[in-house]
Amino acid sequence: MGSASRQSLAAAVSQLAATTGVTITTGEQLLAAARAFDESAQLRAILGDPSVAPADKSALVARIMPGLEKPAAAVLDTIVASSWSNGGELVDGIEQVGIRAIARGEGHSATIESQLFSFARVVASDPELELTLGNKLAAAQGKAEVVDRLIGTKAVRATVVIVDHLVRSPRGRRIGEMLAAAADVVAAAGERRVATVTSAVPLSAAQQTRLAAALARQYGSDIQLNLVVDPTVVGGARVQLGGDVIDGTISARLAELKLQLAG
């Protein structure tokens, strides 16, 4: 995001934190607004025009989204009154705040991150499903129905709402990328960070506890572990947290040794 958009996003997050009565429905309504704005270049242009008074923007949003509850309307008013680098980042900002509102409505449960991660793994392991959900020509409603069949009764409502939105509004993003980004937003809303741990065998509960505690000390925040079992790593573990990668797998050491011997 550009500098203006980052400042506006921070203001929107602060407004969300100060707003009372936030529920999952608040997040649903914000995500619906993001989709509506994304579908209209003219609307994005008006809302992004600094010469248009904030009151006029709020009135326009109220006409377009007449069913907004007070919490969603208050947050959306802050968003459209702020300056964004471009219309796309305005939509991105509404989406991020909407996901944060859903996380808050669900009590900032780490279950959401785990379920988003699990669904991403399912999609990655099924090329046909990935193609179906990522098909730009497929109807949004049809993709949403696929999501409902897969996780509608298995995941918490917050997870279903987030995934439903993402498949309806990909905006050029891959499904795995969207799910990972959404999990990071949920974690940040709960003042956590997400670490993906890949190991040859499942980690014991004690190992998970020790690893999470060590990462928490290093990064200064609670850590949500997403675990992947991959026999090809042979032994050890690979930890990815944002852009940081700690690769202590035997396969990585063997690869490094081969490079040294080849040199």
Side-chain angles (χ1 to χ4, degrees):
M1 278 189 170
S3 176
S5 295
R6 289 195 299 271
Q7 293 177 16
S8 296
L9 178 59
V13 170
S14 296
Q15 176 62 53
L16 178 66
T19 301
T20 58
V22 172
T23 66
I24 293 177
T25 299
T26 306
E28 282 186 289
Q29 293 183 341
L30 289 170
L31 294 182
R35 294 193 297 274
F37 297 173
D38 180 53
E39 291 169 359
S40 173
Q42 182 181 13
L43 180 57
R44 292 196 306 277
I46 294 172
L47 295 176
D49 187 345
S51 67
V52 179
D56 292 335
K57 293 180 181 180
S58 294
L60 176 60
V61 170
R63 289 198 299 273
I64 295 169
M65 310 288 295
L68 289 179
E69 295 179 356
K70 287 184 179 180
V75 174
L76 201 52
D77 281 349
T78 295
I79 292 174
V80 300
S82 301
S83 297
W84 297 83
S85 300
N86 55 62
E89 292 188 356
L90 166 65
V91 174
D92 289 342
I94 298 172
E95 179 179 273
Q96 287 195 40
V97 177
I99 292 173
R100 280 178 170 268
I102 290 169
R104 177 172 162 183
E106 187 66 27
H108 295 299
S109 171
T111 300
I112 308 172
E113 295 116 86
S114 296
Q115 291 179 345
L116 290 172
F117 177 76
S118 296
F119 187 67
R121 295 284 296 171
V122 170
V123 173
S125 67
D126 188 334
E128 184 176 351
L129 175 61
E130 185 172 20
L131 181 62
T132 297
L133 295 179
N135 188 346
K136 297 179 181 178
L137 301 179
Q141 181 60 35
K143 292 189 284 187
E145 289 172 358
V146 171
V147 169
D148 187 63
R149 287 197 300 271
L150 290 172
I151 64 172
T153 59
K154 299 176 183 177
V156 297
R157 180 185 167 201
T159 304
V160 177
V161 170
I162 292 170
V163 177
D164 177 89
H165 165 76
L166 295 177
V167 299
R168 288 175 182 270
S169 184
R171 306 201 303 280
R173 302 167 296 178
R174 295 178 64 87
I175 182 65
E177 171 193 351
M178 292 190 293
L179 291 167
D184 285 341
V185 172
V186 172
E191 299 184 344
R192 292 184 297 272
R193 298 187 69 179
V194 176
T196 300
V197 183
T198 305
S199 58
V201 296
L203 299 182
S204 68
Q207 288 174 319
Q208 293 179 43
T209 299
R210 289 197 299 271
L211 178 57
L215 292 172
R217 287 193 299 271
Q218 182 174 347
Y219 287 93
S221 64
D222 289 340
I223 301 294
Q224 166 71 24
L225 297 182
N226 287 330
L227 306 175
V228 177
V229 176
D230 181 0
T232 64
V233 305
V234 185
R238 179 180 185 271
V239 179
Q240 181 169 354
L241 200 156
D244 294 345
V245 177
I246 305 169
D247 198 338
T249 60
I250 291 177
S251 60
R253 295 172 191 169
L254 290 174
E256 183 179 354
L257 179 60
K258 288 179 180 179
L259 287 174
Q260 292 174 354
L261 290 174

